Amino acid sequence: MRWLVLLPALFAGAAMAGGAGERLTAAFAVPALLWMPGRGLAHRFTRDPLARGVWTFWFSALLAVPAVLVGAWTGLEGAGTLAAAATVTAATARLAAPRPARAPLPARVGMFALLVVLLGVGWSWRDALLRPLDRHWWFGPAETAWEAGSATVLPASGSGWRDRTAVGWEDALAERFVPRSDRPFLLGPARGPVVIALRGPVGATLRVGDEEAVVRADVVEVADEGAVPRYLDRGVAAVTLDLALEAGEKLELAVSDPARSVVYLLGSSEAVWSLHAEGELRFVHYYQLLNMVEQLHWARELYGDRRVTDVQPPLPSYLLAAPLSVTGGELPTANLVFLLELLAIGLAGLAAIAAWAPRAPLPAWLLPAGAVAMHAKLLLEPGSAMLPDSLYTLGVLGTVGALASPTGRYATLALLAQLTRYPGSFVAAIAGILAGEPARVARMLALVLASAAAFGVGGWLSGSLDGWIVTVAWETGPEHWHGEHDPAVLLPRAPRFYALWIAYAGALPLLAALRWPKGTRVALGTALLYSLLLCTIDHTPSHYFLPLVHLSALATACTAAATSHPRLRSWIPLAGLVGISVAYAWAPVVG
């Protein structure tokens, strides 16, 4: 029966060989690459059923690195990567303990709640999870095209398309056209400002009268920044026109690649936001779109000339590159990886409660599931689910949990956090100091520095060291503060940051602060001290708050466990569940 762990790899290989779509292939490839390879190792590594799930993911993530290297060196890419992962899975399958220990009842209830939340996230966000990159766009003039409030009547007649459909809200003045050929098609009459957008392959061109829009992988939107990555294989380009076509007048539109293209005519700002709300074309901010495509681009590069990405800590790129190489896809595959990360984060939250507050009341064991739901919203609402902050949160949460036990893998988890985001060892050191473990902090820092030295030698030998140093210098300072040092500018940013933290966490930090047992001091104290590094940054994207939300949930569970009043023990986490439910339902994600 243990050999059943090879089934996802076999099905993924069959789906890849048979040319199945990205979604079906990813359904098998993601567990085959990022869960099954580490299963046997995790079972031997720990008997704790909660920690075992977390280490299954971590071992699989680490094994993705050699699997990607094998695929790149052999030139087989997806086939080589999958074969390497299947070999490791087969070699370690017999290591799995036949009868693993069972989690206590409250933890099992928490695990059930976590699975329910993950199923709910998958169903309620299914359109976002399955939406490809070319259904996201940002076009600066679309935000100002209708500022004058001019009424627009979209074309009522014309020819040259094989399908024409009204899209979006009923009165939003938006239509979708599928061209019949590369010959011009005619539209008219129309009056007022319109945005005409083309969704198609990179290189496709839309010509409207004297205007032209070309779908480009690297787009110039802000002149000072030059060409910035926006798309991979397909994307969106648009033009704005102020039309005055009377009855009998026609406007010519021509598309260079009609078989793979769709044209949208938008006649109002409501049209932009109705297509956004319905998922037809998500209007994603300039820098959010950059965040989305960069992660995919860096992962793809690992099968090119690069073996280590030099633009961020390397582990997230390998983690994403492995399944992408098998599916040949992009966002849908990356979003399935995100769901697996959410599972690991939820298990890490439960394991941390078991370590710091094993006698926490039953409602407290539901808090990690609530934090996972909010985590999903904070990344899926802007559309940046593949950012490395989920892995980073998993590392930070595991590090804090490990400090509850002298045998916890504190240093190893701190190194994993460091391999996902640059502040990883800094946050781990804060937690270690608050836990009163200076010796463990010293050993952890020695491990991180030794690993950094090893990377430095590798970078020096490969000629990449200068680029890495420049990247680290940019990521840890100028990118976030842009040279601003005036306290009169920096300090006013803090109240908004803390208001967002409380809103996103459903007031959990306030509930946790009612009492300060050791678990709360470590979890909430780490979050508070870390927040001092974040609160004056000139932008506050939602992913900054992910570790803070999960640490707040852990701290609330610790506070509830230390409360002597029997009713308060349950009312504190119940109030937290209500708060995070309200946050999930109504808190707007602002960045």
Side-chain angles (χ1 to χ4, degrees), residues 520-557:
T520 300
R521 290 200 304 272
V522 175
L524 189 58
T526 299
L528 286 168
L529 292 175
Y530 176 41
S531 72
L532 297 178
L533 185 68
L534 303 172
C535 67
T536 58
I537 291 175
D538 60 6
H539 56 289
T540 50
S542 58
H543 62 84
Y544 285 2
F545 297 90
L546 300 179
L548 306 182
V549 169
H550 288 277
L551 290 175
S552 299
L554 171 59
T556 302

Side-chain angles (χ1 to χ4, degrees), residues 62 76 178 197 206 270 272 287 294 300 413 434 445 475 485 517 529 533 551:
L62 292 172
L76 298 176
V178 179
L206 167 69
E270 288 80 6
V272 175
Y287 291 106
E294 277 184 336
R300 287 187 173 190
L413 288 164
L434 290 175
L445 293 176
E475 289 273 356
H485 304 291
L529 292 175
L533 185 68
L551 290 175

Side-chain angles (χ1 to χ4, degrees), residues 8-9 11-12 24-35 82 322-323 326-327 333 336:
F11 287 143
L24 178 61
T25 307
F28 297 116
V30 170
L33 292 162
L34 300 178
W35 192 262
L82 188 60
V326 175
T327 66
T333 300
L336 190 54

Side-chain angles (χ1 to χ4, degrees), residues 153-161 164 175 177 184-191 194 196 207-210 241-254 265:
V153 178
L154 282 182
S157 62
S159 61
W161 54 78
R164 171 185 176 184
E175 293 193 77
F177 296 86
F185 60 98
L186 306 176
L187 296 169
R191 179 172 293 279
V194 295
I196 305 178
R207 293 184 179 86
V208 187
D210 296 330
L241 296 170
D242 196 356
L243 301 179
L245 300 176
E246 303 295 342
E249 294 182 308
K250 300 291 183 181
L251 178 69
E252 286 193 352
L253 288 84
L265 270 73

Side-chain angles (χ1 to χ4, degrees), residues 37-316:
R39 183 173 177 273
L41 294 172
H43 278 238
R44 286 292 177 178
F45 189 70
T46 177
R47 285 185 56 80
D48 181 347
L50 298 170
R52 189 171 58 235
V54 178
W55 282 105
T56 294
F57 179 81
W58 274 127
F59 279 127
S60 299
L62 292 172
L63 290 168
V65 177
V68 168
L69 295 176
V70 167
W73 283 331
T74 60
L76 298 176
E77 296 196 8
T81 302
L82 188 60
T87 300
V88 172
T89 302
T92 61
R94 294 191 62 82
L95 295 176
R99 291 186 178 180
R102 296 188 70 187
L105 179 60
R108 295 203 301 273
V109 172
M111 292 170 69
F112 178 76
L114 174 61
L115 292 177
V116 170
V117 163
L118 289 174
L119 289 173
V121 166
W123 177 255
S124 61
W125 293 91
R126 61 191 181 278
D127 292 338
L129 292 167
L130 298 175
R131 187 178 298 118
L133 183 62
D134 72 328
R135 286 190 180 273
H136 299 79
W137 71 310
W138 186 81
F139 184 55
E143 296 184 301
T144 58
W146 297 280
E147 283 185 346
S150 301
T152 299
V153 178
L154 282 182
S157 62
S159 61
W161 54 78
R162 66 173 183 268
D163 182 62
R164 171 185 176 184
T165 309
V167 290
W169 301 327
E170 185 176 349
D171 58 348
L173 301 177
E175 293 193 77
R176 178 181 59 216
F177 296 86
V178 179
R180 178 176 291 123
S181 70
D182 58 1
R183 296 175 59 187
F185 60 98
L186 306 176
L187 296 169
R191 179 172 293 279
V194 295
V195 171
I196 305 178
L198 168 68
R199 178 166 62 88
V202 168
T205 301
L206 167 69
R207 293 184 179 86
V208 187
D210 296 330
E211 299 290 332
E212 179 179 276
V214 181
V215 179
R216 303 184 188 277
D218 298 334
V219 182
V220 178
E221 294 277 10
V222 179
D224 293 343
E225 293 192 10
V228 178
R230 284 293 176 271
Y231 294 107
L232 296 174
D233 309 307
R234 293 176 54 85
V236 178
V239 298
T240 57
L241 296 170
D242 196 356
L243 301 179
L245 300 176
E246 303 295 342
E249 294 182 308
K250 300 291 183 181
L251 178 69
E252 286 193 352
L253 288 84
V255 177
S256 64
D257 195 341
R260 298 186 293 166
S261 300
V262 178
V263 175
Y264 296 89
L265 270 73
L266 310 178
S268 66
S269 58
E270 288 80 6
V272 175
W273 295 114
S274 70
L275 296 190
H276 176 91
E278 296 192 357
E280 180 76 25
L281 280 181
R282 294 285 290 179
F283 199 70
V284 180
H285 190 270
Y286 181 75
Y287 291 106
Q288 284 292 357
L289 194 54
L290 171 64
N291 285 337
M292 294 163 67
V293 75
E294 277 184 336
Q295 303 299 321
L296 299 166
H297 182 69
W298 295 334
R300 287 187 173 190
E301 282 186 336
L302 294 176
Y303 287 96
D305 297 331
R306 296 190 182 188
R307 294 296 175 262
V308 179
T309 180
D310 65 351
V311 287
Q312 65 181 19
L315 187 57

Side-chain angles (χ1 to χ4, degrees), residues 393-411:
T393 299
L394 178 60
V396 169
L397 195 56
T399 299
V400 172
L403 285 165
S405 168
T407 60
R409 307 287 177 170
Y410 163 72

